[in-house]
Amino acid sequence: MGEVPGQVRDAAVPDDTPRTASRPPRRDLPVRPSPDQIMAWLDAVPDPEIPVISVVDLGIVRGIRWQGDTLEVSVTPTYSGCPATRVISMDIETALRDRGLQDVRITTQIAPPWTTDWLSEKGRARLQDYGIAPPSPAGGPDRCPHCSSDNVTRISQYGSTPCKAQWRCADCLEPFDYFKCI
Amino acid sequence: MATPASSTAAQLDEALFTFLLRMGDNTLVLGHRVSEWCGHAPVLEEDIALANTALDLIGQTQMWLGLAADVEGQGRSADDLAMLRDVWDFRNLLLVEQPNGDFGQTIMRQYLFDQFHLLLLRALQDSADDRIAGIAAKAVKEVGYHVERSAETVIGLGDGTEESHGRMQAALDWLSPYVGEMFVSDEIDAEMATRGIVPDPASLRAPYDAALAEVLAKATLSRHEGDFAHQGGKTGFRHSEHLGHMLTQMQWLQRAYPGAAW
Ligand SMILES: [Zn+2]
């Protein structure tokens, strides 16, 4: 119970205000959104570094469950030192609060380790459209994301973010990013 | 030993804590060393590659030192362990604290460590401690990528020009005496091995030597025979003078402005 500013209470008078009155009645929760609904909301949260794909496309949302009134979302990092991980957790929390879920806890889950096998089909297609070759078990891109030529060579095993490598197309001569396969 | 569980429960698991410091200090110190190249590498692609390698290593450090802090249970964080310990409390190998030297020396140091790191992490995936197995399973993917690149670069530069070959051979000669410490087993390793948490490091020596021989042969480099090994890093008994200098750079902000955060 907050004190009203400027009000002086008389200490001699016993305070018999019913304490329970200060506590708002417990609000019945509306129907809890289904896991599918929550995943659909999260599918609108973009990856901060590759905004054409969502955090769900990336395969890093590993589980959602209710712990009492708290929604627990477990997120797995892509690379252990990826600086985007913290931003992603904040973005997820903000998105769920915007949908009216006030009590959200983000937990980090490292096992089993993230793999590019968890990228969604939608995500892979969007990467390609965006000019990033999607991961391939062969260890390199199948084709140039710009002109579809398979005449491609590696420039470097690393790129502008931990998840990418740099390649070049020998036909259209454009460099492009390749999403590393791990 | 028949010590009642209740009397040991509150005690620090010293061997486990030390092992975790060794893991986290190796990745922290090497990660910092490699990050010193940021903005200075010979070409942009190498600059980016080194920075990404450093980033992976620092990320792994957060997991190892984070677990070390949990095991210690004294309220210290991974950051506290990294930024507020003094040189004698570090438990990293002497190899990883050696200065960068030229690009060849940096790459040779990286390869010599990566090959060991990969074998160790592969074994740790089967650790009896699930937390350790989980971190190892995460890190091994990144380290597999590191060793692919460092081995390829050692081969490219070793079997390159007269100049690059000479520099790589000099780097190998300089760093070889730091290899042996990785495989020395002490009482901490013995206890961890008995508990099924960590492999005996000596057991990694044969596969390491085999992998190294293959890469060095392709790189046309030769390793001197001899078992001499500088020691004192993983025990903390005697670090080289380089680590203290490195810590003055790495820790200065937390030392100058304790508790600074952003
Ligand atoms: Zn092309």
Side-chain angles (χ1 to χ4, degrees), chain B residues 12 18 42 44 49 82 85 92 100 137 142 149 152 168 189 204 225 230 246 258:
Chain B
L12 173 62
T18 303
L44 183 60
R85 276 180 304 151
N92 58 279
N100 287 339
E142 295 161 359
R149 173 174 171 278
E152 239 178 59
M168 293 312 278
D189 296 305
L204 304 175
E225 296 302 320
H230 293 295
M246 195 199 94

Side-chain angles (χ1 to χ4, degrees), chain B residues 5-251:
Chain B
S6 55
S7 74
T8 56
Q11 280 175 17
L12 173 62
D13 189 337
E14 191 79 46
L16 180 60
F17 179 63
T18 303
F19 166 73
L20 293 167
L21 288 183
R22 288 174 176 178
M23 294 303 291
D25 288 348
N26 279 338
T27 52
L28 173 62
V29 172
L30 185 58
H32 185 83
R33 276 285 184 236
V34 174
S35 79
E36 290 171 356
W37 276 102
C38 193
H40 300 279
V43 291
L44 183 60
E45 285 76 13
E46 290 307 326
D47 203 288
I48 290 171
L50 288 165
N52 272 291
T53 303
L55 193 63
D56 286 341
L57 292 170
I58 300 299
Q60 293 166 18
T61 303
Q62 283 174 331
M63 298 193 285
W64 291 121
L65 293 186
L67 182 53
D70 286 350
V71 165
E72 187 191 38
Q74 297 293 314
R76 289 203 281 184
S77 67
D79 283 336
D80 294 337
L81 290 174
M83 297 301 165
L84 302 175
R85 276 180 304 151
D86 283 313
V87 64
W88 50 80
D89 291 324
F90 274 73
R91 294 291 177 268
N92 58 279
L93 296 163
L94 296 175
L95 173 68
V96 297
E97 69 195 41
Q98 297 312 303
N100 287 339
D102 61 15
F103 182 73
Q105 191 175 316
T106 291
I107 291 296
M108 182 59 76
R109 182 189 62 200
Q110 192 68 35
Y111 173 64
L112 294 173
F113 180 74
D114 286 347
Q115 191 67 64
F116 162 76
H117 202 196
L118 181 69
L119 291 165
L120 177 58
L121 291 172
R122 277 187 187 154
L124 289 176
Q125 289 179 273
D126 299 322
S127 173
D129 187 318
D130 288 345
R131 299 167 300 181
I132 288 174
I135 296 172
K138 178 84 195 149
V140 77
K141 294 180 154 213
E142 295 161 359
V143 171
Y145 209 78
H146 296 170
V147 76
E148 202 182 302
R149 173 174 171 278
S150 61
E152 239 178 59
T153 313
V154 164
I155 293 168
L157 292 173
D159 186 21
T161 64
E162 197 180 322
E163 174 75 18
S164 72
H165 175 86
R167 286 181 182 237
M168 293 312 278
Q169 186 62 56
L172 180 60
D173 293 346
W174 176 251
L175 294 169
S176 282
Y178 295 98
V179 168
E181 190 186 20
M182 300 192 274
F183 306 101
V184 176
S185 303
D186 62 8
E187 70 282 1
I188 304 277
D189 296 305
E191 185 186 333
M192 289 285 96
T194 306
R195 287 162 62 185
I197 295 176
V198 173
D200 179 351
S203 70
L204 304 175
R205 179 96 217 205
Y208 180 87
D209 284 343
L212 202 63
E214 203 182 313
V215 167
L216 294 182
K218 285 184 191 162
T220 69
L221 297 171
S222 47
R223 195 174 160 194
H224 291 291
E225 296 302 320
D227 274 346
F228 175 73
H230 293 295
Q231 291 182 50
K234 70 183 270 188
T235 59
F237 173 68
R238 187 170 53 219
H239 281 284
S240 62
E241 71 272 29
H242 307 297
L243 181 61
H245 289 282
M246 195 199 94
L247 294 185
T248 62
Q249 298 294 308
M250 188 181 87
Q251 298 182 331

